[in-house]
Every structure is written in structure tokens, then in C-alpha cells.
Amino acid sequence: MTTTTGLGLFVLASSTLAIAAPFTPTSAFAATVEITDDDARSVVTVGDVTRRGNSVAGTLTNRGAGEIHDLRLLIEIPFLWANEVKPGEESPGRSTVLTVKGPLAPHGTLAFEFAPNPPLPERTDGRFGDPQVRVMGFNAIGMP
């Protein structure tokens, strides 16, 4: 672990890349930490993910000791073809990155909701499956 001065810590995590970049508004102690996908999931968990009509909703739980801001979530809404042997030419499934500003207090929870724009189309050749939500990264103040 590398240490530096500053109050904040910017953390970005993905399955292939982990970057940590400190910022230094004052001379207080902070640490630069590299995290993996498993580390991000151990700090922030996603729960109660449901689809309500056209919207995806859920809760985020901060399991760490630091305040978290700007949580970047990957939201995937798959389309399940009625005939998987002969699917259509273009899937109407969606993937998007949603930023939840926060703050998410240490050991606190925060609700989120996402409504695709344009809305999911009504289809007769299949249906939209259960949404999947993953934490891609976040900003932490203090130790995550």
C-alpha cells in the first residue's frame, strides 16, 4: 500500500482495471488503495434489485468505514428470446452505467432507481429478464 496526504480517495474498479488516484485538499492522512471487483463488492453491496414496469430499483449498502460518493453501477437488462434457436437480428436488451451521487454513509444504505430512455419496448418475440447490477467504482472519503 502506498500512502499520501489528502482527505479524499478516488477509486475506480473494473474486471480488468483498478486505478486509485488521491486528491489533496488538505494535509490530513489518506491512503492510495488498488481494489479488484471482489474488493469493490466487499465494500459496497447491491441488494433488492427488482424491475418495476420500466424501471430498475435496488439498494446499495456501504460495508466500509468511509463515506462513499459517485457510485458507478453497471445495469444490464437482458432480453430472452422466445425462440433461442432462431433469435431476432438485434437484441433489445440494454446495458448502461448509472452514477448514484450519494453520499452513502459508513454502514448505511441508499436506494437507487433507473428508468431506461427510451423505455423498454413491448415485445411478442421474447421478454426482458431480471436486471443485473454491479458496482464498477466509487469515490471514498476516508478508508473504504
Side-chain angles (χ1 to χ4, degrees):
M1 174 160 69
T2 305
T3 60
T4 185
T5 57
L7 282 179
L9 179 67
F10 170 77
V11 182
L12 170 66
S14 73
S15 59
T16 58
L17 176 67
I19 299 171
F23 59 93
T24 56
T26 69
S27 60
F29 176 78
T32 301
V33 181
E34 290 186 10
I35 64 173
T36 64
D37 272 352
D38 290 336
D39 293 332
R41 283 190 290 270
S42 69
V43 174
V44 178
T45 58
V46 179
D48 303 323
V49 175
T50 59
R51 205 175 92 209
R52 297 182 198 142
N54 204 39
S55 296
V56 175
T59 58
L60 303 168
T61 302
N62 181 352
R63 298 175 67 184
E67 185 174 271
I68 295 176
H69 296 266
D70 300 317
L71 293 106
R72 285 167 304 287
L73 307 177
L74 175 62
I75 299 174
E76 298 175 292
I77 306 171
F79 186 76
L80 308 172
W81 295 99
N83 184 352
E84 288 291 332
V85 176
K86 293 183 179 181
E89 291 184 23
E90 193 171 318
S91 173
R94 305 269 179 89
S95 293
T96 192
V97 175
L98 173 69
T99 300
V100 178
K101 294 290 184 193
L104 177 53
H107 308 289
T109 60
L110 181 64
F112 70 90
E113 187 166 342
F114 166 73
N117 188 12
L120 299 174
E122 294 290 327
R123 302 286 296 241
T124 59
D125 56 347
R127 63 180 178 83
F128 289 94
D130 294 333
Q132 304 295 313
V133 180
R134 290 188 312 150
V135 176
M136 294 179 58
F138 50 83
N139 295 337
I141 298 176
M143 291 303 292

